[in-house]
């Protein structure tokens, strides 16, 4: 599928116009300035740019040859897909033919890979604009993946390639340059984008940030987006924060760079910011001081590891249409859908043992000898299991990630990762494990699950999540382990186990 391979998403015209307005691409000055779309596709941004340039040139009474010279020398694009590259040039030629009566322009549009081509244009452009490809690094060919990880500082870990386009975009700007992109808004909160956030904060180059939150800008694409305007000549200690409200982009706040946290950027109204300030005042403890908060198992192939028991004989059970040893299975629930109904309990093939109170993988020879049916089942799926982007140095038959394994064998509170009006959570015994959700276990006996239950049900915790959580369609907010860990505990919780707390701020 071309979208997944190349990350192509086509940009609405009004978004293009908004970005060009935000970078101040207007007036006589643009006739002497250079602009590029580094992932130009079929030319959506460039079409609008050419239209603006031609209009400005005509207003200045420039002749056809002067306009041709401007178009050929100031407007650039790069596109890796040959079909889209051809469409782009055709579309641009159609514009100049219609508006100027010129049949052909020698466009500076390149059919090339921006990840390497950009080196030819360091410190060159006045404007970099566009809609970079949305594609996860693990969907890229290994050669390009290695290039990204070795060459781009913002692209460490499993990230979308758009962060690399931010980095290369900044490198090809001149000292007075401006960059305007529409991208996923995941860089505002994801821990893997922490380096990028710190860079923006330290350099103070953010001019405007427009978060579309749960509004889906692209048809048939579930990506949540933001427009980011960077200005290398930005000389302020703050930037404008805007949101898409009632079908219009509106300013919400002026954000001070000094107030930004490296861990996550979550912006809201001044009233909500005051609530958060009051929430943190005079509170010396967080939930993480008393509880372990982790995501559940991440097998990266749930359809292989998780299923139901449909039959049994002796010590074997029929699991996903294979007979395997029952003793290697553990009970498990899915945090995102579990509502407390015991009928929703499934089973997970658990290739781990627990000597010395710590889970370790069963060695392959031991797995084959003690659990020959389960081992044969895993062998039948080995090719698929090897395709996972699993933890380094892990065995092919282990879960893709080791998260949650050590804490699983404890009594726990579990919850999903989305909230609407209420936060639903459930208590589970130690022998029932969790995937696709959040697991909370006790670190200390100072505070018990009854007190934690009061905290999770409190109005201030729900408001905290509503402000800090990422927006999803349908009015949902994301709940993350970091948000839970960092929630400050009021002193009254440390003294009493059952109460309804008063809000610090109304």
């Amino acid at each position: 599928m071309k979208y997944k391979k190349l990350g192509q998403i086509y940009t609405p015209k009004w978004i293009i116009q908004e970005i060009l307005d935000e970078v101040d691409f207007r007036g006589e000055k643009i006739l002497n300035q250079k602009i590029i779309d580094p992932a130009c596709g079929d030319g959506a941004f460039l079409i609008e740019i050419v239209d603006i340039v031609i209009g400005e040139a005509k207003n200045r009474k420039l002749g056809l040859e002067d306009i041709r010279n401007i178009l050929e020398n100031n407007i650039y694009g790069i596109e890796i897909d040959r079909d889209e590259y051809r469409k782009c040039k055709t579309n641009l030629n159609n514009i100049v033919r219609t508006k100027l009566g010129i049949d052909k322009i020698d466009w500076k549009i390149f059919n090339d890979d921006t990840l390497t081509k950009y080196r030819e244009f360091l410190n060159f452009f006045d404007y970099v604009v566009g809609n970079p490809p949305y594609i996860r690094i693990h969907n890229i060919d290994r050669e390009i993946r290695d290039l990204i990880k070795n060459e781009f500082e913002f692209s460490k870990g499993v990230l979308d390639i758009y962060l690399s386009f931010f980095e290369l975009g900044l490198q090809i700007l001149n000292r007075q340059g401006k960059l305007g992109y529409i991208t996923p808004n995941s860089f505002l909160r994801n821990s893997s984008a922490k380096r990028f956030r710190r860079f923006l904060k330290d350099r103070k180059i953010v001019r405007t940030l427009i978060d579309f939150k749960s509004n889906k800008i692209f048809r048939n694409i579930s990506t949540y987006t933001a427009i980011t305007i960077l200005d290398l000549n930005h000389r302020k200690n703050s930037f404008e924060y805007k949101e898409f409200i009632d079908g219009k982009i509106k300013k919400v706040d002026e954000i001070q760079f000094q107030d930004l946290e490296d861990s996550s950027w979550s912006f809201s109204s001044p009233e909500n910011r005051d609530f958060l300030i009051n929430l943190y005042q005079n509170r010396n403890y967080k939930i993480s001081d008393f509880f372990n908060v982790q995501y559940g198992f991440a097998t990266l192939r749930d359809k292989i590891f998780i299923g139901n028991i449909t039959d049994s004989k002796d010590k074997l059970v029929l699991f996903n249409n294979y007979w395997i040893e029952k003793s290697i299975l553990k009970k498990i629930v899915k945090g995102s859908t579990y509502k407390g109904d015991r009928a929703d309990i499934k089973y997970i093939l658990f290739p781990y043992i627990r000597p010395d109170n710590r889970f370790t993988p069963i060695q392959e020879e031991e797995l084959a000898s003690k659990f020959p049916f389960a081992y044969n089942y895993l062998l039948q799926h080995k090719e698929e299991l090897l395709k996972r982007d699993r933890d380094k140095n892990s065995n092919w038959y282990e879960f893709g990630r080791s998260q949650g394994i050590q804490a699983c064998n404890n009594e726990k509170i579990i919850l999903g990762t989305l909230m609407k009006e209420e936060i639903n959570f459930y208590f589970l015994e130690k022998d029932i494990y969790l995937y696709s959700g959040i697991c909370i276990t006790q670190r200390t006996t100072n505070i018990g699950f009854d007190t934690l239950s009061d905290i999770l049900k409190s109005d201030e915790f729900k408001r905290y999540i509503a402000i800090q959580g990422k927006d999803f369609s349908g009015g949902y907010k994301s709940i993350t382990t970091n948000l839970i860990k960092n929630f400050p505990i009021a002193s009254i919780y440390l003294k009493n186990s059952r109460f309804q707390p008063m809000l610090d701020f109304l």
Side-chain angles (χ1 to χ4, degrees), residues 86 97 109 134 204 278 349 374 422:
R86 288 171 174 165
R97 186 179 300 113
I109 312 298
Y134 304 175
K204 297 182 179 180
N278 280 276
L349 197 159
E422 297 293 330

Side-chain angles (χ1 to χ4, degrees), residues 98-268:
T98 300
K99 291 184 172 289
L100 300 174
I102 297 175
D103 284 334
K104 194 173 182 181
I105 294 285
D106 185 16
W107 298 105
K108 294 248 182 338
I109 312 298
F110 304 95
N111 181 210
D112 212 327
D113 188 346
T114 308
L115 296 172
T116 53
K117 183 71 174 177
Y118 84 97
R119 300 171 188 149
E120 299 176 20
F121 301 107
L122 300 179
N123 308 308
F124 186 74
F125 292 101
D126 299 281
Y127 304 95
V128 176
V129 296
N131 177 8
Y134 304 175
I135 179 172
R136 303 283 285 185
I137 281 182
H138 60 255
N139 289 325
I140 304 171
D141 293 339
R142 179 171 295 277
E143 182 179 352
I144 298 298
R145 190 189 317 167
D146 292 341
L147 169 69
I148 290 171
K149 290 185 176 180
N150 291 331
E151 186 155 338
F152 297 101
E153 288 298 314
F154 301 155
S155 297
K156 307 297 182 185
V158 180
L159 299 173
D160 279 293
I161 198 174
Y162 75 86
L163 284 182
S164 301
F165 274 75
F166 268 114
E167 190 166 346
L168 67 85
L170 290 169
Q171 292 190 49
I172 60 180
L173 281 177
N174 61 36
R175 292 183 179 181
Q176 306 297 315
K178 299 182 181 72
L179 180 149
Y181 283 163
I182 181 165
T183 69
N185 63 10
S186 54
F187 75 89
L188 298 175
R189 295 176 176 84
N190 284 1
S191 59
S192 51
K194 183 177 181 180
R195 188 189 302 261
F196 179 52
R197 288 193 296 272
R198 185 184 298 125
F199 172 86
L200 296 178
K201 174 185 175 182
D202 292 346
R203 292 287 299 273
K204 297 182 179 180
I205 59 174
V206 181
R207 178 172 168 173
T208 306
L209 184 63
I210 305 170
D211 190 356
F212 290 97
K213 292 188 169 287
S214 63
N215 297 285
K216 295 180 180 180
I217 302 304
F218 300 105
R219 190 176 301 172
N220 300 323
I221 299 294
S222 62
T223 303
Y224 300 98
T225 54
I227 290 174
T228 306
I229 307 299
L230 306 181
D231 184 351
L232 296 187
N233 198 36
H234 188 58
R235 299 187 182 278
K236 294 178 65 176
N237 292 318
S238 62
F239 63 89
E240 286 189 329
Y241 172 66
K242 302 178 181 181
E243 293 180 2
F244 191 65
I245 302 171
D246 297 328
K248 295 182 179 179
I249 293 174
K250 300 178 182 180
K251 182 175 177 178
V252 174
D253 203 0
E254 189 79 14
I255 305 297
Q256 301 295 318
F257 285 105
Q258 66 180 17
D259 294 336
L260 295 173
E261 299 287 343
D262 288 344
S263 58
S264 176
W265 289 4
S266 181
F267 307 121
S268 191

Side-chain angles (χ1 to χ4, degrees), residues 36-67:
I36 185 172
D37 180 348
C40 62
D42 65 359
F45 272 85
L46 297 181
I47 289 169
E48 196 67 25
I49 290 165
V50 167
D51 192 46
I52 293 172
V53 169
I54 290 176
E56 191 62 40
K58 285 184 174 182
N59 289 340
R60 305 295 166 182
K61 309 299 184 184
L62 297 184
L64 286 181
E65 285 308 308
D66 288 333
I67 297 176

Side-chain angles (χ1 to χ4, degrees), residues 41 96 117 207 262 266 290 363 398 403 425:
V96 296
K117 183 71 174 177
R207 178 172 168 173
D262 288 344
S266 181
F290 304 98
Q363 294 299 308
E398 293 181 51
Q403 65 187 42
F425 56 91

